[in-house]
Amino acid sequence: MILVTGATGNVGSELVRALAEAGEPVRALSRSGGRDGLPAGVQAAAGDLNRPETVRGALDGVRAMFLMPGYEGQRAILADARAAGVERVVLLSARSAGTGDTGNAVSAYLIDAEEAVRASGLAWTFLRPTSFMSNALRLADQIRAGDTVRVPFPDAYTTDIDPHDIARCAQCALLSDAYTGHALELTGPEALLPADRVRILGKALGRDLLPVPLGHAEARAELEAQMPKPYVDAFFSFFVDGTLDESVVLPTVREVTGRAPRTFEQWARAHAGEF
């Protein structure tokens, strides 16, 4: 049995689907434990990663698990996993974990998550992707309202990755010893500016969308309305101060999965209905 935590999330849902299609026994863990959207044959389980006692039962019979980072119960869950006979854990991390910067709120929780996994005694693989293509869904309300789209960090090139490709790499790491002890740096196939992604979305929607770059003060005000200030500070450190470079295309997805990662145009066409 393979346990997928965060099974209703961007990566988790793709991973559940990929494993099920490959004929692997899968248990999908979410807070609700609901079956909505799960492929046939997949077991549903309820559990909260901040409350380890709620996850313990879902570990029964599990040999490998996909783990989300940043939850209070992580160390206890890892200890319970080892006690239950789990052999392998694949952790979803991010590129910023490689900076070693524990003063950055985003990097710090990822570094802590990786350290916990290393200390668990389980065989491990870390996935360190760039920004997700699915982050573009945050623009959906603007796009429904009109043709102008306000974008922060307009000068930041990033090689955004489709969660589908992260899930395919996770699948390979869960089913093989080949990536044990590796931190896999994952990127999409091209470096784009926010304005490039807006224009590509417009093409997929059959509309002429106009990207409007936000100044730093405007971007900070909008982001602080959506998330805690330490996380906003972290993103400004990454994409304004340049402490994280997500502009370089890496070959890892092709090397691990045997297929090129999907382009943003492909992602946009596949998700056009969500805009």
Side-chain angles (χ1 to χ4, degrees), residues 221-263:
E222 290 197 6
L223 291 172
E224 287 185 3
Q226 302 168 24
M227 66 183 76
K229 184 178 182 297
Y231 291 110
V232 178
D233 291 342
F235 290 118
F236 267 78
S237 173
F238 294 154
F239 300 125
V240 177
D241 300 336
T243 60
L244 179 67
D245 183 3
E246 290 198 347
S247 68
V248 179
V249 175
L250 299 176
T252 319
V253 170
R254 182 188 290 274
E255 290 171 349
V256 172
T257 68
R259 291 179 291 184
R262 293 180 175 180
T263 65

Side-chain angles (χ1 to χ4, degrees), residues 46-131:
D48 184 340
L49 296 179
N50 286 318
R51 299 172 56 210
E53 70 278 5
T54 69
V55 178
R56 202 165 290 135
L59 295 168
D60 183 44
V62 170
R63 62 182 174 86
M65 64 186 295
F66 175 75
L67 186 62
M68 301 292 291
Y71 290 89
E72 295 175 3
Q74 180 168 303
R75 281 173 169 76
I77 290 168
L78 288 165
D80 289 341
R82 187 174 183 184
V86 176
E87 299 170 359
R88 179 184 310 281
V89 59
V90 174
L91 176 73
L92 179 62
S93 185
R95 293 291 302 279
S96 64
T99 67
D101 183 4
T102 56
N104 179 295
V106 172
S107 301
Y109 84 78
L110 295 169
I111 291 167
D112 181 68
E114 290 190 1
E115 288 177 349
V117 170
R118 284 192 183 95
S120 70
L122 299 172
W124 57 264
T125 304
F126 302 149
L127 304 181
R128 292 178 177 173
T130 52
S131 301

Side-chain angles (χ1 to χ4, degrees), residues 83-243:
V86 176
E87 299 170 359
R88 179 184 310 281
V89 59
V90 174
L91 176 73
L92 179 62
S93 185
R95 293 291 302 279
S96 64
T99 67
D101 183 4
T102 56
N104 179 295
V106 172
S107 301
Y109 84 78
L110 295 169
I111 291 167
D112 181 68
E114 290 190 1
E115 288 177 349
V117 170
R118 284 192 183 95
S120 70
L122 299 172
W124 57 264
T125 304
F126 302 149
L127 304 181
R128 292 178 177 173
T130 52
S131 301
F132 292 7
M133 291 180 181
S134 53
N135 290 346
L137 291 169
R138 297 170 185 168
L139 305 175
D141 287 343
Q142 292 188 66
I143 290 172
R144 293 187 192 109
D147 291 332
T148 58
V149 183
R150 295 156 58 86
V151 291
F153 313 125
D155 300 323
Y157 279 96
T158 56
T159 51
D160 290 13
I161 185 170
D162 190 332
H164 169 90
D165 291 314
I166 303 171
R168 293 293 180 177
C169 290
Q171 178 184 15
C172 293
L174 286 163
L175 300 177
S176 170
D177 294 330
Y179 306 103
T180 300
H182 289 251
L184 299 176
E185 306 272 343
L186 309 176
T187 78
E190 56 193 345
L192 298 174
L193 292 169
D196 297 326
R197 286 187 286 276
V198 170
R199 284 190 284 269
I200 292 168
L201 275 171
K203 181 180 178 182
L205 297 171
R207 293 169 57 186
D208 188 16
L209 298 179
L210 176 66
V212 177
L214 291 179
H216 294 337
E218 290 177 291
R220 180 172 284 279
E222 290 197 6
L223 291 172
E224 287 185 3
Q226 302 168 24
M227 66 183 76
K229 184 178 182 297
Y231 291 110
V232 178
D233 291 342
F235 290 118
F236 267 78
S237 173
F238 294 154
F239 300 125
V240 177
D241 300 336
T243 60

Side-chain angles (χ1 to χ4, degrees), residues 5-28:
T5 70
T8 58
N10 289 315
V11 178
S13 59
E14 293 276 8
L15 177 57
V16 167
R17 190 176 305 112
L19 289 167
E21 288 173 356
E24 298 291 335
V26 184
R27 184 172 296 145

